[in-house]
Amino acid sequence: MSDGTDLESNSWPGFVDILSAAIMMFVFFVLVTAVALFFHVIIFTSKVDPVSLSEFTPEQISSMQSENEQLKQRVAGLAAKVLESEAEFSQSDSDQTWEQENDLSMVVFFGKDDITLSTNVDEAIRAFRDDVIDRYGASNLALTISSPRSKSAIETIAKKIAVARIFNSRNLFLDSDLPTASIYMNVDPPTKINDEADWVRLKFTRR
C-alpha cells in the first residue's frame, strides 16, 4: 500500500499523461505495422522481374492483386481502430452502475474501455463521500481506492486503464475535508465482482 505522499499534487497532469501514452501506443503500433507492410511489398516486388510476370497465369496475378488490396485494407482498418480507441477513451459509458457494499465501501462498475465517470456515478460517489465524512469525521478516516488490471494482451495498457480510473475517482475527494495523505491507491490483479471485471472500489477504514 502506498504511503500517499505521491497523491498530494494535482492528478490532472498525470491523467493526461496516461491517456496520451495509451493513444500514442496505438498510433505507434499502426505506424510500425504500416512500415513493415510497406517494406514487405518493396522487397517482394524487387524480387520479381517484370519480364517474368508473363510466366504467371491470370489467376495468379489476380490472386497477388487481391492480397495487395487486403494488405491496404488491413492498414486502413488499423488506422480506424486508433480513431475509435481515442473516442472510447475520451467519453464515459452512460450505463455505468454502482453499489454500496456497506456503510464504508462502494464499488463502481465501468464499461470495458471506460475510464471517466458518468454524471450519475459522480453524484453517487460525492453523496457517499459526504455521508461517511459527516458520520465519522475526516480526521478519523483513511480511503483506499483500488481497481484491477484487465486481462489484456497488452499489460501496460491494462495497468494504465486501471490507474486512470483510480485517479478519476480520487479527484472527487480532493475538494473534501479528507487529507490527501489519507488516500491510497492499489492496482489489483484481474478480479471480478458480481461477474464484472471493470470496477473501482472506494473503501474507507476507520483509524
Side-chain angles (χ1 to χ4, degrees), residues 7-8 32 50 99 109 116 137 149 160 165 171 174 176 178 196 206:
L7 304 177
E8 296 179 358
V32 170
E99 70 173 35
F109 298 99
T116 58
R149 300 188 306 272
K160 287 179 185 293
R165 289 170 175 169
N171 287 343
L174 296 180
S176 70
L178 190 69
E196 295 287 342
R206 300 175 62 184

Side-chain angles (χ1 to χ4, degrees), residues 96-169:
Q96 287 178 5
T97 59
W98 63 275
E99 70 173 35
Q100 190 162 336
E101 297 179 305
N102 51 58
D103 61 341
L104 293 173
S105 177
M106 72 176 294
V107 178
V108 176
F109 298 99
F110 287 75
K112 181 179 180 182
D113 297 309
D114 202 10
I115 60 176
T116 58
L117 297 167
S118 60
T119 302
N120 65 317
V121 171
D122 183 296
E123 294 174 351
I125 292 177
R126 291 180 186 275
F128 169 71
R129 173 200 70 185
D130 295 341
D131 178 61
V132 175
I133 291 176
D134 288 343
R135 280 190 292 133
Y136 298 105
S139 60
N140 300 318
L141 295 167
L143 173 67
T144 300
I145 306 175
S146 58
S147 181
R149 300 188 306 272
S150 63
K151 293 183 178 180
S152 171
I154 306 177
E155 180 70 15
T156 54
I157 294 210
K159 188 172 183 179
K160 287 179 185 293
I161 292 176
V163 171
R165 289 170 175 169
I166 290 172
F167 269 103
N168 282 330
S169 301

Side-chain angles (χ1 to χ4, degrees), residues 165-206:
R165 289 170 175 169
I166 290 172
F167 269 103
N168 282 330
S169 301
R170 172 184 172 271
N171 287 343
L172 301 184
F173 293 85
L174 296 180
D175 59 351
S176 70
D177 295 331
L178 190 69
T180 55
S182 298
I183 303 176
Y184 306 96
M185 301 189 307
N186 284 330
V187 176
D188 299 336
T191 310
K192 289 188 176 182
I193 296 180
N194 295 347
D195 206 31
E196 295 287 342
D198 299 285
W199 52 265
V200 167
R201 173 179 276 131
L202 309 168
K203 185 176 182 180
F204 282 100
T205 54
R206 300 175 62 184

